Amino acid sequence: MKSLLFSAVATLRDNNANKTLAVAAVIFLAALALHIVYPANLAADGFLFVAEAALVGGMADWFAVTALFEKPLGFPYHTAILPKRREAFIAASVTMVQKEFFSKRNVIAHLEKLHLLPMLMAYLAEPKTKQRLLTELFGYAQRFITVDFAAKTADVLAAEIRRHLMLIPVTESVGKLSEWLRQSGEDKRLIKRLGVVLADIAKDNKTYNLILSGLEGYAKTQAKTPLEQLAVGLAQLFDLVNIDEAAELIRRRLVKIAEEIATDSPLNDILTAKLHDILMMVDTGELKGAADGIKNELVVRLPIEKMLENVFDDLSTMPPTLTAVVSAEYDATLVMITRDEKLRRRVERFLYDLAARSALHAQGLIDVVVRKVLERLTDAELNRLVREKIEPDLRWIRINGSVVGSAVGLAIFLVMTIASI
């Protein structure tokens, strides 16, 4: 009993509405005492009438407000509204949050106010962000590319590359090669480089020895009879025919021809034209079959697996050159997005669409989240959650009940008094 009294006193101390109701009760008792002492006094009767109306109004509002959350004085009918209607309250809360707060119209309206691309660009341009992203990228690549992965992937990719290379028609490729050589001028430069190589070969002593050996062999093969062989020997002996000088003259002539090929000369033009003629001949006859055979043989013999394994190995170790290239490309991409108006608009549209879709997709999760949160609350916790949000308004409702009750009581008393005169 003592603890209940203390609780009531604490409630009165902490709640202005309860204080108002207590004051109304005290005033009513005082007015009742005055009425008893002065039964025929008009002022005492009016004071009692007003005090009674204020007390009744306050108590009525106290009952109504309390009935929202619990059973006032244990009254069972149409009380404890919120606990009894918790399912309807949860459904209404879910609908309100889902349809009002997270409606498509509100989501899009808020997203339109956000400048997503400048925010993203500023974030990506920060050195810490760049370092963190590149570190994560390289770390993922190193974890992903293992020895077994590299070997298996290299085999699969090599087979696929070979399959596509086999499907490439030689004639089409040769035609495109011929067209590219002509348009880029690489055909003449190719012949010039060939001339430089031939000049270097002609200047080599091995070439001289090869020519000399050929001339000597030719002289011997042409002298078929002993008499002819004797004549050739005597000519060489008396220096009538000098094979060494002939070999040197031939070599010099070859060097001159090769050097002429290596320059812008008519001979270079002739060989360039012949190059294109030979390339165009691949489309016909035996050259086509030979070209197909060479292509297929090259495709089979190319060490594609080894090259791919080396690439994966380089990626797994992340050499400084690759790191520098990726870092430079990162910066170049940011600059390109900043300067290219069309690209920037596309990125902005993508970000806006992504954010809108994500937000609208989350709209469907609101039902589950809000419902689970509210369903886990007990009746007392649910009452406290709602009461804490509207407690000031509830207090003023109860205070207004006493005030309005007293005003209405005064008005009724005045009407009754005037009517009785």
Side-chain angles (χ1 to χ4, degrees), residues 142-163:
Q142 289 173 339
R143 291 190 299 269
F144 186 71
I145 301 174
T146 61
V147 176
D148 293 338
F149 169 83
K152 294 178 181 178
T153 307
D155 292 339
V156 175
L157 290 179
E160 190 66 17
I161 292 173
R162 283 195 175 90
R163 186 179 70 83

PDB file of all heavy atoms in Angstrom, residues 142-163:
ATOM      1  N   GLN A 142      45.749 -11.497 -57.429  1.00  0.00           N
ATOM      2  CA  GLN A 142      46.781 -12.423 -56.944  1.00  0.00           C
ATOM      3  C   GLN A 142      46.158 -13.655 -56.294  1.00  0.00           C
ATOM      4  O   GLN A 142      46.680 -14.758 -56.418  1.00  0.00           O
ATOM      5  CB  GLN A 142      47.687 -11.704 -55.962  1.00  0.00           C
ATOM      6  CG  GLN A 142      48.592 -10.671 -56.622  1.00  0.00           C
ATOM      7  CD  GLN A 142      49.369  -9.858 -55.618  1.00  0.00           C
ATOM      8  OE1 GLN A 142      48.986  -9.771 -54.442  1.00  0.00           O
ATOM      9  NE2 GLN A 142      50.447  -9.236 -56.048  1.00  0.00           N
ATOM     10  N   ARG A 143      45.056 -13.456 -55.584  1.00  0.00           N
ATOM     11  CA  ARG A 143      44.390 -14.610 -54.966  1.00  0.00           C
ATOM     12  C   ARG A 143      43.692 -15.472 -56.016  1.00  0.00           C
ATOM     13  O   ARG A 143      43.591 -16.685 -55.867  1.00  0.00           O
ATOM     14  CB  ARG A 143      43.365 -14.132 -53.932  1.00  0.00           C
ATOM     15  CG  ARG A 143      43.977 -13.491 -52.701  1.00  0.00           C
ATOM     16  CD  ARG A 143      42.932 -13.274 -51.623  1.00  0.00           C
ATOM     17  NE  ARG A 143      41.873 -12.387 -52.079  1.00  0.00           N
ATOM     18  CZ  ARG A 143      41.889 -11.078 -51.930  1.00  0.00           C
ATOM     19  NH1 ARG A 143      42.942 -10.479 -51.371  1.00  0.00           N
ATOM     20  NH2 ARG A 143      40.882 -10.329 -52.349  1.00  0.00           N
ATOM     21  N   PHE A 144      43.203 -14.823 -57.047  1.00  0.00           N
ATOM     22  CA  PHE A 144      42.434 -15.544 -58.058  1.00  0.00           C
ATOM     23  C   PHE A 144      43.334 -16.337 -58.999  1.00  0.00           C
ATOM     24  O   PHE A 144      43.006 -17.455 -59.405  1.00  0.00           O
ATOM     25  CB  PHE A 144      41.594 -14.548 -58.856  1.00  0.00           C
ATOM     26  CG  PHE A 144      40.664 -15.202 -59.839  1.00  0.00           C
ATOM     27  CD1 PHE A 144      39.551 -15.893 -59.410  1.00  0.00           C
ATOM     28  CD2 PHE A 144      40.915 -15.121 -61.198  1.00  0.00           C
ATOM     29  CE1 PHE A 144      38.699 -16.494 -60.312  1.00  0.00           C
ATOM     30  CE2 PHE A 144      40.072 -15.718 -62.112  1.00  0.00           C
ATOM     31  CZ  PHE A 144      38.954 -16.400 -61.660  1.00  0.00           C
ATOM     32  N   ILE A 145      44.463 -15.724 -59.367  1.00  0.00           N
ATOM     33  CA  ILE A 145      45.360 -16.358 -60.333  1.00  0.00           C
ATOM     34  C   ILE A 145      46.362 -17.234 -59.590  1.00  0.00           C
ATOM     35  O   ILE A 145      47.349 -16.746 -59.041  1.00  0.00           O
ATOM     36  CB  ILE A 145      46.096 -15.306 -61.186  1.00  0.00           C
ATOM     37  CG1 ILE A 145      45.082 -14.442 -61.927  1.00  0.00           C
ATOM     38  CG2 ILE A 145      47.042 -15.967 -62.175  1.00  0.00           C
ATOM     39  CD1 ILE A 145      45.703 -13.302 -62.677  1.00  0.00           C
ATOM     40  N   THR A 146      46.105 -18.508 -59.524  1.00  0.00           N
ATOM     41  CA  THR A 146      47.012 -19.469 -58.901  1.00  0.00           C
ATOM     42  C   THR A 146      47.694 -20.279 -59.989  1.00  0.00           C
ATOM     43  O   THR A 146      47.401 -20.149 -61.178  1.00  0.00           O
ATOM     44  CB  THR A 146      46.243 -20.392 -57.951  1.00  0.00           C
ATOM     45  OG1 THR A 146      45.261 -21.114 -58.709  1.00  0.00           O
ATOM     46  CG2 THR A 146      45.546 -19.594 -56.860  1.00  0.00           C
ATOM     47  N   VAL A 147      48.595 -21.143 -59.558  1.00  0.00           N
ATOM     48  CA  VAL A 147      49.322 -21.967 -60.527  1.00  0.00           C
ATOM     49  C   VAL A 147      48.364 -22.889 -61.263  1.00  0.00           C
ATOM     50  O   VAL A 147      48.401 -23.013 -62.497  1.00  0.00           O
ATOM     51  CB  VAL A 147      50.422 -22.775 -59.808  1.00  0.00           C
ATOM     52  CG1 VAL A 147      51.110 -23.704 -60.800  1.00  0.00           C
ATOM     53  CG2 VAL A 147      51.420 -21.834 -59.155  1.00  0.00           C
ATOM     54  N   ASP A 148      47.497 -23.578 -60.513  1.00  0.00           N
ATOM     55  CA  ASP A 148      46.558 -24.500 -61.150  1.00  0.00           C
ATOM     56  C   ASP A 148      45.607 -23.751 -62.068  1.00  0.00           C
ATOM     57  O   ASP A 148      45.299 -24.195 -63.182  1.00  0.00           O
ATOM     58  CB  ASP A 148      45.759 -25.256 -60.080  1.00  0.00           C
ATOM     59  CG  ASP A 148      46.647 -26.197 -59.282  1.00  0.00           C
ATOM     60  OD1 ASP A 148      47.717 -26.571 -59.803  1.00  0.00           O
ATOM     61  OD2 ASP A 148      46.284 -26.533 -58.148  1.00  0.00           O
ATOM     62  N   PHE A 149      45.130 -22.595 -61.590  1.00  0.00           N
ATOM     63  CA  PHE A 149      44.212 -21.799 -62.417  1.00  0.00           C
ATOM     64  C   PHE A 149      44.899 -21.368 -63.709  1.00  0.00           C
ATOM     65  O   PHE A 149      44.314 -21.431 -64.792  1.00  0.00           O
ATOM     66  CB  PHE A 149      43.743 -20.574 -61.637  1.00  0.00           C
ATOM     67  CG  PHE A 149      43.016 -19.564 -62.486  1.00  0.00           C
ATOM     68  CD1 PHE A 149      41.681 -19.715 -62.761  1.00  0.00           C
ATOM     69  CD2 PHE A 149      43.695 -18.474 -63.011  1.00  0.00           C
ATOM     70  CE1 PHE A 149      41.015 -18.791 -63.560  1.00  0.00           C
ATOM     71  CE2 PHE A 149      43.042 -17.543 -63.798  1.00  0.00           C
ATOM     72  CZ  PHE A 149      41.699 -17.705 -64.068  1.00  0.00           C
ATOM     73  N   ALA A 150      46.145 -20.914 -63.593  1.00  0.00           N
ATOM     74  CA  ALA A 150      46.873 -20.431 -64.776  1.00  0.00           C
ATOM     75  C   ALA A 150      47.032 -21.552 -65.798  1.00  0.00           C
ATOM     76  O   ALA A 150      46.817 -21.356 -66.999  1.00  0.00           O
ATOM     77  CB  ALA A 150      48.235 -19.883 -64.359  1.00  0.00           C
ATOM     78  N   ALA A 151      47.422 -22.764 -65.333  1.00  0.00           N
ATOM     79  CA  ALA A 151      47.634 -23.873 -66.257  1.00  0.00           C
ATOM     80  C   ALA A 151      46.331 -24.297 -66.935  1.00  0.00           C
ATOM     81  O   ALA A 151      46.273 -24.466 -68.158  1.00  0.00           O
ATOM     82  CB  ALA A 151      48.253 -25.052 -65.520  1.00  0.00           C
ATOM     83  N   LYS A 152      45.264 -24.463 -66.142  1.00  0.00           N
ATOM     84  CA  LYS A 152      43.993 -24.901 -66.700  1.00  0.00           C
ATOM     85  C   LYS A 152      43.402 -23.841 -67.619  1.00  0.00           C
ATOM     86  O   LYS A 152      42.919 -24.144 -68.717  1.00  0.00           O
ATOM     87  CB  LYS A 152      43.005 -25.220 -65.570  1.00  0.00           C
ATOM     88  CG  LYS A 152      43.413 -26.408 -64.722  1.00  0.00           C
ATOM     89  CD  LYS A 152      42.421 -26.641 -63.598  1.00  0.00           C
ATOM     90  CE  LYS A 152      42.849 -27.819 -62.718  1.00  0.00           C
ATOM     91  NZ  LYS A 152      41.918 -28.017 -61.593  1.00  0.00           N
ATOM     92  N   THR A 153      43.461 -22.597 -67.174  1.00  0.00           N
ATOM     93  CA  THR A 153      42.900 -21.524 -67.989  1.00  0.00           C
ATOM     94  C   THR A 153      43.690 -21.327 -69.268  1.00  0.00           C
ATOM     95  O   THR A 153      43.122 -21.053 -70.331  1.00  0.00           O
ATOM     96  CB  THR A 153      42.874 -20.216 -67.182  1.00  0.00           C
ATOM     97  OG1 THR A 153      42.201 -20.430 -65.945  1.00  0.00           O
ATOM     98  CG2 THR A 153      42.167 -19.116 -67.944  1.00  0.00           C
ATOM     99  N   ALA A 154      45.022 -21.464 -69.178  1.00  0.00           N
ATOM    100  CA  ALA A 154      45.852 -21.316 -70.369  1.00  0.00           C
ATOM    101  C   ALA A 154      45.488 -22.372 -71.409  1.00  0.00           C
ATOM    102  O   ALA A 154      45.402 -22.067 -72.608  1.00  0.00           O
ATOM    103  CB  ALA A 154      47.329 -21.419 -69.991  1.00  0.00           C
ATOM    104  N   ASP A 155      45.241 -23.609 -70.968  1.00  0.00           N
ATOM    105  CA  ASP A 155      44.869 -24.669 -71.915  1.00  0.00           C
ATOM    106  C   ASP A 155      43.529 -24.354 -72.583  1.00  0.00           C
ATOM    107  O   ASP A 155      43.379 -24.509 -73.803  1.00  0.00           O
ATOM    108  CB  ASP A 155      44.785 -26.014 -71.186  1.00  0.00           C
ATOM    109  CG  ASP A 155      46.156 -26.492 -70.719  1.00  0.00           C
ATOM    110  OD1 ASP A 155      47.163 -26.027 -71.286  1.00  0.00           O
ATOM    111  OD2 ASP A 155      46.209 -27.322 -69.792  1.00  0.00           O
ATOM    112  N   VAL A 156      42.562 -23.924 -71.776  1.00  0.00           N
ATOM    113  CA  VAL A 156      41.227 -23.634 -72.321  1.00  0.00           C
ATOM    114  C   VAL A 156      41.286 -22.456 -73.285  1.00  0.00           C
ATOM    115  O   VAL A 156      40.745 -22.503 -74.404  1.00  0.00           O
ATOM    116  CB  VAL A 156      40.234 -23.351 -71.177  1.00  0.00           C
ATOM    117  CG1 VAL A 156      38.882 -22.924 -71.735  1.00  0.00           C
ATOM    118  CG2 VAL A 156      40.074 -24.589 -70.296  1.00  0.00           C
ATOM    119  N   LEU A 157      41.946 -21.380 -72.862  1.00  0.00           N
ATOM    120  CA  LEU A 157      42.043 -20.200 -73.721  1.00  0.00           C
ATOM    121  C   LEU A 157      42.839 -20.489 -74.991  1.00  0.00           C
ATOM    122  O   LEU A 157      42.484 -20.011 -76.075  1.00  0.00           O
ATOM    123  CB  LEU A 157      42.694 -19.049 -72.947  1.00  0.00           C
ATOM    124  CG  LEU A 157      41.872 -18.425 -71.819  1.00  0.00           C
ATOM    125  CD1 LEU A 157      42.661 -17.333 -71.132  1.00  0.00           C
ATOM    126  CD2 LEU A 157      40.557 -17.863 -72.356  1.00  0.00           C
ATOM    127  N   ALA A 158      43.913 -21.268 -74.853  1.00  0.00           N
ATOM    128  CA  ALA A 158      44.719 -21.599 -76.034  1.00  0.00           C
ATOM    129  C   ALA A 158      43.895 -22.390 -77.045  1.00  0.00           C
ATOM    130  O   ALA A 158      43.975 -22.133 -78.259  1.00  0.00           O
ATOM    131  CB  ALA A 158      45.953 -22.393 -75.613  1.00  0.00           C
ATOM    132  N   ALA A 159      43.105 -23.337 -76.560  1.00  0.00           N
ATOM    133  CA  ALA A 159      42.254 -24.114 -77.474  1.00  0.00           C
ATOM    134  C   ALA A 159      41.242 -23.214 -78.174  1.00  0.00           C
ATOM    135  O   ALA A 159      40.993 -23.359 -79.385  1.00  0.00           O
ATOM    136  CB  ALA A 159      41.539 -25.224 -76.701  1.00  0.00           C
ATOM    137  N   GLU A 160      40.676 -22.290 -77.426  1.00  0.00           N
ATOM    138  CA  GLU A 160      39.693 -21.381 -78.017  1.00  0.00           C
ATOM    139  C   GLU A 160      40.349 -20.443 -79.026  1.00  0.00           C
ATOM    140  O   GLU A 160      39.793 -20.166 -80.098  1.00  0.00           O
ATOM    141  CB  GLU A 160      39.007 -20.576 -76.909  1.00  0.00           C
ATOM    142  CG  GLU A 160      37.803 -19.777 -77.357  1.00  0.00           C
ATOM    143  CD  GLU A 160      36.652 -20.643 -77.817  1.00  0.00           C
ATOM    144  OE1 GLU A 160      36.657 -21.861 -77.500  1.00  0.00           O
ATOM    145  OE2 GLU A 160      35.745 -20.119 -78.486  1.00  0.00           O
ATOM    146  N   ILE A 161      41.545 -19.949 -78.688  1.00  0.00           N
ATOM    147  CA  ILE A 161      42.273 -19.065 -79.616  1.00  0.00           C
ATOM    148  C   ILE A 161      42.614 -19.813 -80.894  1.00  0.00           C
ATOM    149  O   ILE A 161      42.459 -19.288 -82.006  1.00  0.00           O
ATOM    150  CB  ILE A 161      43.542 -18.516 -78.934  1.00  0.00           C
ATOM    151  CG1 ILE A 161      43.158 -17.551 -77.808  1.00  0.00           C
ATOM    152  CG2 ILE A 161      44.430 -17.803 -79.950  1.00  0.00           C
ATOM    153  CD1 ILE A 161      44.333 -17.102 -76.970  1.00  0.00           C
ATOM    154  N   ARG A 162      43.080 -21.050 -80.767  1.00  0.00           N
ATOM    155  CA  ARG A 162      43.412 -21.843 -81.950  1.00  0.00           C
ATOM    156  C   ARG A 162      42.175 -22.093 -82.813  1.00  0.00           C
ATOM    157  O   ARG A 162      42.236 -22.069 -84.052  1.00  0.00           O
ATOM    158  CB  ARG A 162      44.036 -23.177 -81.538  1.00  0.00           C
ATOM    159  CG  ARG A 162      45.491 -23.069 -81.105  1.00  0.00           C
ATOM    160  CD  ARG A 162      46.160 -24.429 -81.074  1.00  0.00           C
ATOM    161  NE  ARG A 162      47.580 -24.296 -80.777  1.00  0.00           N
ATOM    162  CZ  ARG A 162      48.086 -24.308 -79.556  1.00  0.00           C
ATOM    163  NH1 ARG A 162      47.270 -24.449 -78.512  1.00  0.00           N
ATOM    164  NH2 ARG A 162      49.391 -24.170 -79.381  1.00  0.00           N
ATOM    165  N   ARG A 163      41.058 -22.344 -82.149  1.00  0.00           N
ATOM    166  CA  ARG A 163      39.823 -22.594 -82.905  1.00  0.00           C
ATOM    167  C   ARG A 163      39.451 -21.380 -83.751  1.00  0.00           C
ATOM    168  O   ARG A 163      39.081 -21.504 -84.928  1.00  0.00           O
ATOM    169  CB  ARG A 163      38.680 -22.945 -81.951  1.00  0.00           C
ATOM    170  CG  ARG A 163      37.393 -23.370 -82.642  1.00  0.00           C
ATOM    171  CD  ARG A 163      36.333 -23.733 -81.627  1.00  0.00           C
ATOM    172  NE  ARG A 163      35.865 -22.562 -80.920  1.00  0.00           N
ATOM    173  CZ  ARG A 163      34.922 -21.735 -81.397  1.00  0.00           C
ATOM    174  NH1 ARG A 163      34.382 -21.962 -82.588  1.00  0.00           N
ATOM    175  NH2 ARG A 163      34.527 -20.704 -80.694  1.00  0.00           N
TER     176      ARG A 163
END
